[in-house]
Amino acid sequence: MKIDDLRKISVIGSGAMGSQIAMVCALSGYQVTLQDIQFESLEKAKALLNSQMNKRIVKGKLTEQVVEEAFARLSFTTDLKEAVSDTDFVIEAIVEKLDIKRQLFAQLDQLAPPHTILATNSSTIVSSEIAPATNRPEKVCNMHFFNPALVMDLVEVVQGPHTSDETAEITMALSKRLNKTPILLQKEISGFVANRILGKIMNEAIYLLENEIATAEEIDLACTKALNHPIGPFALIDLTGLDVHYNVRMERYAKSGDEADKPSSLIVEKVERGELGRKTGQGFYAYN
Ligand SMILES: NC(=O)c1ccc[n+]([C@@H]2O[C@H](COP(=O)([O-])OP(=O)(O)OC[C@H]3O[C@@H](n4cnc5c(N)ncnc54)[C@H](O)[C@@H]3O)[C@@H](O)[C@H]2O)c1
């Protein structure tokens, strides 16, 4: 397959990431199907995308016509077969659980045409852990977007030892056509580049908070006002979701067995209380 042959993209999982990735693809002129096992998640994605696009129209960032045409290219379904039976490229953005991703990739391998590339948006799991679930490991890679995908520019493409050069090249070329800035990593490492650096910052921020050196607000202010970060670490965890942060740390701990990789008790307590950040109205900050 050549990049010019790529017409249809399927995004699997319509949560925080999948919904916006699907919109990014539709805005770039691709036919897109967004699939989720939960009908409610698709309905929520549709409503959120409508409101996000309306805001851009009001601000003059996009025209009504561009948005209308993008929505006309975007369809929603709970049926995986319908979503991928004629697709050229799949971007998986489902829950961050290795066994569930493996099950899904085995199904995708059965249902998608033989030429189709299967990419995972996982934040931590390298595709060599998923590719053996398929009979097309050379067409499996990581394509990692950042939250919010409609805004954030970087995409990390990771070419595992099983990934063909053609797959890596098409995924890089597609990222550029989506108006993103991609980097190609040719060595796998869990968490890739940006989040590994961010992880170190998060650890230090949580250490400072737990030891009562500073409040979450003060630590966020230090990062935004002294280091010029656009958002502080605690505001960022609230945006990403404390549950996502928790799952990422548990996956890392499962792999390393290192207690230091476990989520901090501060995060565990908040997750247990259902304080998951913006999506529940309460995280390190309260939201209306
Ligand atoms: N949240 C972030 O900041 C962020 C950033 C980059 C990458 N990621 C990665 O993106 C992926 C999704 O994260 P998210 O934050 O959008 O999660 P989310 O919880 O918001 O959404 C996940 C969606 O996947 C659906 N789902 C679960 N199993 C499914 C299946 N078998 N088939 C179809 N749909 C299924 C759920 O119903 C849900 O709607 C994860 O791998 C995560 O590591 C997340």
Side-chain angles (χ1 to χ4, degrees):
M1 184 171 59
K2 299 263 184 305
I3 185 67
D4 288 330
D5 303 329
L6 203 165
R7 306 243 182 281
K8 182 169 174 193
I9 299 175
S10 306
V11 180
I12 313 301
S14 65
M17 292 305 294
S19 56
Q20 293 209 5
I21 293 170
M23 199 72 226
V24 166
C25 297
L27 283 168
S28 301
Y30 289 99
Q31 287 295 331
V32 184
T33 302
L34 180 57
Q35 188 270 355
D36 201 290
I37 43 173
Q38 291 191 64
F39 179 73
E40 301 72 38
S41 178
L42 289 170
E43 288 293 298
K44 198 172 147 202
K46 222 182 275 181
L48 264 174
L49 289 174
N50 263 309
S51 112
Q52 284 156 348
M53 289 301 106
N54 281 337
K55 279 189 197 146
R56 281 166 172 76
I57 293 172
V58 171
K59 285 185 186 164
K61 289 184 175 173
L62 292 172
T63 65
E64 245 172 79
Q65 191 189 345
V66 163
V67 169
E68 241 173 59
E69 285 172 4
F71 272 119
R73 285 188 289 268
L74 177 56
S75 59
F76 300 80
T77 181
T78 52
D79 186 336
L80 187 63
K81 189 174 177 195
E82 180 190 319
V84 304
S85 60
D86 62 346
T87 196
D88 301 309
F89 199 102
V90 174
I91 304 172
E92 168 274 311
I94 69 165
V95 61
E96 187 72 346
K97 295 260 166 71
L98 178 58
D99 53 339
I100 300 181
K101 287 194 193 284
R102 277 195 183 132
Q103 277 170 29
L104 174 67
F105 271 70
Q107 277 178 291
L108 291 171
D109 190 37
Q110 298 296 315
L111 298 174
H115 74 274
T116 305
I117 291 176
L118 309 177
T120 174
N121 178 53
S122 170
S123 297
T124 53
I125 303 169
V126 292
S127 76
S128 59
E129 299 205 38
I130 302 173
T134 74
N135 292 310
R136 61 178 93 187
E138 75 287 354
K139 290 194 164 63
V140 179
C141 70
N142 290 88
M143 185 185 196
H144 182 223
F145 293 79
F146 290 82
N147 192 8
L150 275 161
V151 177
M152 299 304 284
D153 194 5
L154 192 78
V155 171
E156 292 172 328
V157 177
V158 190
Q159 179 176 15
H162 54 284
T163 311
S164 70
D165 288 345
E166 183 187 282
T167 297
E169 276 159 25
I170 292 174
T171 310
M172 287 293 286
L174 173 61
S175 306
K176 286 179 195 157
R177 294 209 174 175
L178 300 179
N179 291 314
K180 301 294 180 193
T181 302
I183 56 172
L184 175 63
L185 313 183
Q186 289 177 307
K187 226 177 190 182
E188 289 191 328
I189 185 164
S190 170
F192 324 121
V193 173
N195 280 347
R196 288 184 71 88
I197 295 171
L198 183 64
K200 299 285 185 280
I201 295 172
M202 291 288 186
N203 281 352
E204 190 59 29
I206 289 169
Y207 172 84
L208 292 169
L209 182 63
E210 278 183 336
N211 286 280
E212 297 173 354
I213 309 291
T215 63
E217 289 86 346
E218 287 164 339
I219 296 165
D220 277 358
L221 278 173
C223 291
T224 53
K225 300 296 177 186
L227 306 178
N228 247 355
H229 292 182
I231 184 172
F234 294 108
L236 183 59
I237 298 183
D238 275 1
L239 178 70
T240 313
L242 276 85
D243 52 336
V244 174
H245 178 93
Y246 175 90
N247 284 338
V248 164
R249 299 302 293 248
M250 288 307 284
E251 278 286 343
R252 199 176 300 163
Y253 170 64
K255 231 164 275 150
S256 70
D258 182 353
E259 289 286 320
D261 283 337
K262 269 188 172 171
S264 89
S265 54
L266 200 79
I267 297 281
V268 175
E269 283 162 22
K270 281 189 167 295
V271 169
E272 280 170 0
R273 282 202 297 271
E275 295 175 11
L276 306 182
R278 277 179 184 266
K279 59 181 144 188
T280 59
Q282 179 69 49
F284 288 99
Y285 297 91
Y287 302 88
N288 291 326

